[in-house]
Amino acid sequence: MATDCEAWLNSNPVEADDLSDSFQSEDEDNGKSLNKNINEINGNWMSSSCSSIQEARLKAKAKRRLRKNSSRDSGRGDSLSDNGDVIRWTAVVPNSPKSKLLDRRSRPGKGRGLPKKGGAGGKGVWGKSGEVYEPEEVDEKDPNYDEAQVNCVYETVVPPLDERDFERTVVPIVQEYFEHGDTNEVLEMLAELNLGSMRSDVPSLAVSLALEAKASHRELTSRLLARLCGSVLLPNDLEKSFDRLLRELPDLVLDTPDAPQLVGQFIARAVGDQILSQSFVESYKGRVDCEYTRAALDRAAVLLKMSMGGLRLDNKWGAGGGQRPVTQLIKEMNLLLKEFVLSGDVKEAERCLKDLEVPHFHHEFVYEAIIMVLESKGEKTSKMILQLLKSLSESSIITVDQMRRGYERVYLDIAEINIDVPRAYFILEQFVDCSFSVGVVDIKLRDLCPSRGRKRFISEGDGGVIKLES
């Protein structure tokens, strides 16, 4: 039996170092004693069955160690042959699938670092940018196939406006246009709407709003009608609109007494802008029963005849206050003051000042009024100007700031004014005192009034009494 064991060990040599492992059991701790005397246990020789069991244990442990090393070192460990021999590999391809999934080592560069699928891959990506897809063929065998939708064309449909939605939508557009004056913006906003049959109501709505507004707003309305004609409106739409305005004049007069004259000016301006035919006014001859309609047509006919003589209709409403030159505004303010001194109508003066539409330039009106008082020769002009300034201050047509700036400008220029008006200092002091007494200026502005130092002339027979200025 001993000779058989020695023969088997010689044919299958097993080194103790190769069988060593970090995870040692009791049998491995006694490996040295097994190598020295592998067939002897407790002084007795083992049988062949016992030796085969021990041999199987050794092979199993060697294989377990080999599997651990191969999965950890990716094939850089040892392997065991079918005969039980230990074979040392130089490079082994990893066989475990976990080695590929959990391997976090940096791999050598593959490719050129470009994104996967040219940037067309990933979640939520429909394809490359700029990629054109061919039309998809319809499968008639598809259970969702619908023959009616094969040649169907989808487009955005805007429902037409009714009368209620028309006023609620267009009125804010026109009122906003009176503030910014940009016709292109109004054109774009109206183009987005489906006006339908309400298209001819746009001019009548804009004119009716302009009748209650200022002269500058009426000028903007005339420009808007000329801009909309051809793109949004047709000449036939303008004729329908003005025809409707002439029929509604009895109702418009209740809110705007000057509506017939203003509508006649709108008609004449439209003819002058060549957006309304000249035969429009002549077509109403002999067919008008309403006095307001007749007055509007007569006004339009007169303006058209005057235009043939050289009257310009393109600026019939005039320019707004902010667009006028300063010299023209000063000239109109002086004319306004002269007319007031002749007529004495405070309400008319207030209305004319409002029509100038220059609330930021009212300090010039106060300045010119005080200069007129200083250059006048009687007390009548001073009292009338003081009455006018008091009325304008109480109605807040001229604000406190504008009134203060007007007085301060006179204070600064009084030295130059005194050259032409010798008694300017004395008249200014009296006028400022009267203005303070009626509440036009406050006490601080009154105390700022400049005064010229007077010389004291004392004669021998006066007894030391100071002479007062006569």
Side-chain angles (χ1 to χ4, degrees), residues 329-346 348-350 352-353 356 362-373 375 380-382 384-389 392 398 431:
L329 289 173
I330 296 175
K331 186 183 297 184
E332 292 185 3
M333 288 181 178
N334 285 325
L335 291 175
L336 192 158
L337 290 170
K338 291 178 181 179
E339 291 179 0
F340 170 73
V341 172
L342 294 176
S343 63
D345 191 352
V346 178
E348 180 66 18
E350 292 179 357
C352 294
L353 185 61
L356 292 179
H362 283 172
H363 61 86
E364 180 66 27
F365 180 82
V366 178
Y367 177 83
E368 296 295 337
I370 299 176
I371 295 298
M372 182 176 288
V373 172
E375 294 178 352
K380 179 181 177 182
T381 304
S382 177
M384 294 183 68
I385 295 297
L386 185 61
Q387 180 186 1
L388 177 62
L389 293 179
L392 294 173
I398 297 180
F431 184 78

Side-chain angles (χ1 to χ4, degrees), residues 179-327:
E179 300 297 330
H180 58 72
D182 189 359
T183 57
N184 292 327
E185 183 175 350
V186 179
L187 182 64
E188 293 177 359
M189 297 179 71
L190 292 179
E192 296 176 356
L193 303 176
N194 187 3
L195 298 175
S197 60
M198 306 296 294
R199 185 174 54 194
S200 60
D201 294 339
V202 175
S204 59
L205 179 62
V207 172
S208 61
L209 292 175
L211 294 179
E212 302 176 0
K214 303 176 183 179
S216 60
H217 295 166
R218 296 165 193 159
E219 175 67 22
L220 291 175
T221 303
S222 296
R223 295 179 183 177
L224 179 62
L225 296 181
R227 181 68 177 85
L228 295 179
C229 185
S231 56
V232 177
L233 304 176
L234 300 175
N236 189 24
D237 297 331
L238 287 172
E239 293 181 0
K240 292 181 181 179
S241 180
F242 280 111
D243 183 68
R244 180 180 178 182
L245 284 171
L246 293 175
R247 292 197 307 268
E248 295 178 352
L249 275 178
D251 297 333
L252 296 175
V253 170
L254 299 178
D255 297 330
T256 308
D258 298 336
Q261 289 75 19
L262 297 177
V263 172
Q265 293 181 195
F266 271 111
I267 294 175
R269 175 65 181 271
V271 174
D273 292 339
Q274 298 180 359
I275 59 176
L276 195 64
S277 62
Q278 296 182 356
S279 61
F280 178 78
V281 179
E282 298 177 357
S283 63
Y284 282 91
K285 288 184 178 181
R287 300 191 302 108
V288 179
D289 297 332
C290 180
E291 57 178 346
Y292 301 113
T293 304
R294 190 182 300 110
L297 294 174
D298 292 342
R299 177 64 175 171
V302 170
L303 291 175
L304 291 175
K305 289 182 180 180
M306 294 175 63
S307 64
M308 297 179 183
L311 178 65
R312 294 182 57 186
L313 294 177
D314 56 347
N315 198 18
K316 182 67 188 67
W317 304 106
Q323 300 176 358
R324 297 181 183 181
V326 176
T327 55

Side-chain angles (χ1 to χ4, degrees), residues 59 63 66 79-87 89:
K59 289 182 179 181
K63 288 183 178 180
L66 180 61
S79 62
L80 193 65
S81 63
D82 295 337
N83 297 328
D85 298 335
V86 177
I87 302 174
W89 291 69

